[in-house]
Amino acid sequence: MKMVQATVFLLACLVVCSSLLDPTMAAGSSFCGSKCSARCSKAGLKDRCIKYCRICCDKCKCVPSGTYGNKHECPCYRDLKNSKGKPKCP
């Protein structure tokens, strides 16, 4: 009986832990993760920069080179706007 309780407890822990993981950290987005880390390496608000960069990368499948500018390399990334009409992507 104790073995069943331990198994149920471990399964419950796995479910809770997996629901807390950020879906953008999945292996499929390693391209975006590495590109956005490089893009946002000098940003003042690094977490925010990486968040929006990953959103843009997931939609556009590209990230401009360097830490600033070069948006001509990826027109989709360049042209995404937020609700206020300003550039969404860092």
Side-chain angles (χ1 to χ4, degrees):
M1 190 66 178
K2 288 185 179 183
M3 185 64 114
V4 173
Q5 289 176 337
T7 304
V8 170
F9 177 75
L10 286 173
L11 287 174
C13 287
L14 284 173
V15 169
V16 170
C17 289
S18 67
S19 68
L20 297 175
L21 291 175
D22 186 1
T24 60
M25 298 301 289
S29 67
S30 63
F31 168 79
C32 291
S34 62
K35 291 287 190 176
C36 288
S37 291
R39 179 86 177 160
C40 297
S41 65
K42 294 184 179 179
L45 299 171
K46 217 173 258 192
D47 292 340
R48 180 191 246 175
C49 179
I50 289 174
K51 174 185 173 184
Y52 287 106
C53 180
R54 284 187 174 179
I55 290 170
C56 296
C57 180
D58 287 340
K59 286 183 182 180
C60 298
K61 308 295 185 230
C62 65
V63 176
S65 62
T67 57
Y68 185 79
N70 300 323
K71 290 187 177 182
H72 64 278
E73 297 174 355
C74 185
C76 171
Y77 189 97
R78 175 193 65 212
D79 296 337
L80 285 177
K81 306 288 184 202
N82 65 17
S83 60
K84 296 178 181 175
K86 295 187 177 190
K88 181 179 196 122
C89 308

